[in-house]
Amino acid sequence: MLTVIAIAGASPAFALSVSRGGARGWTEQSATVMNLQDTQDDGHDVKAEYYRTAHPSDKLTLWNKQAYDGPRFEDNDGNAWTVESGKYSTIFKMQVCEVYNNWPDSCSGWVE
């Protein structure tokens, strides 16, 4: 199942959100922080790939390799099984993937 949402606000900043399989990703803090959540107890790592305005040709990757046993509520604003990036320049393009060893990853497709 693929879910894609772009939320526009009154300011030029916007939030991106996308899901694929057990991976859910979204931006916050005026699209300057990437969040990645593992939503299924299936043993697969998840990753988010994204681009920032400061270096628009550099694809960045945020990993959640702890899978469903990952960070609990004390991490990332109370969002269990979620990791987040640092706060840097605006994220303008992203996708999330479930990672399968020795098989192609299952990715959401790019959201801008």
Side-chain angles (χ1 to χ4, degrees), residues 58-71:
D58 295 341
K59 180 171 68 173
L60 304 170
T61 304
L62 179 65
W63 287 92
N64 187 341
K65 292 186 176 185
Q66 296 174 329
Y68 205 69
D69 294 324

Side-chain angles (χ1 to χ4, degrees), residues 17-30:
S17 179
V18 66
S19 296
R20 174 67 178 189
R24 177 176 169 250
W26 69 95
T27 61
E28 65 181 5
Q29 298 186 27
S30 299

Side-chain angles (χ1 to χ4, degrees), residues 63-105:
W63 287 92
N64 187 341
K65 292 186 176 185
Q66 296 174 329
Y68 205 69
D69 294 324
R72 302 292 183 196
F73 289 105
E74 67 273 2
D75 191 36
N76 191 17
D77 306 322
N79 295 307
W81 305 291
T82 304
V83 296
E84 67 179 23
S85 72
K87 183 177 180 181
Y88 302 106
S89 65
T90 302
I91 297 164
F92 67 89
K93 186 175 179 181
M94 63 175 278
Q95 73 174 359
V96 295
C97 305
E98 260 194 309
V99 178
Y100 296 97
N101 291 335
N102 302 317
W103 289 91
D105 297 338

Side-chain angles (χ1 to χ4, degrees), residues 4-25:
V4 178
I5 302 169
I7 304 168
S11 69
F14 58 93
L16 297 173
S17 179
V18 66
S19 296
R20 174 67 178 189
R24 177 176 169 250

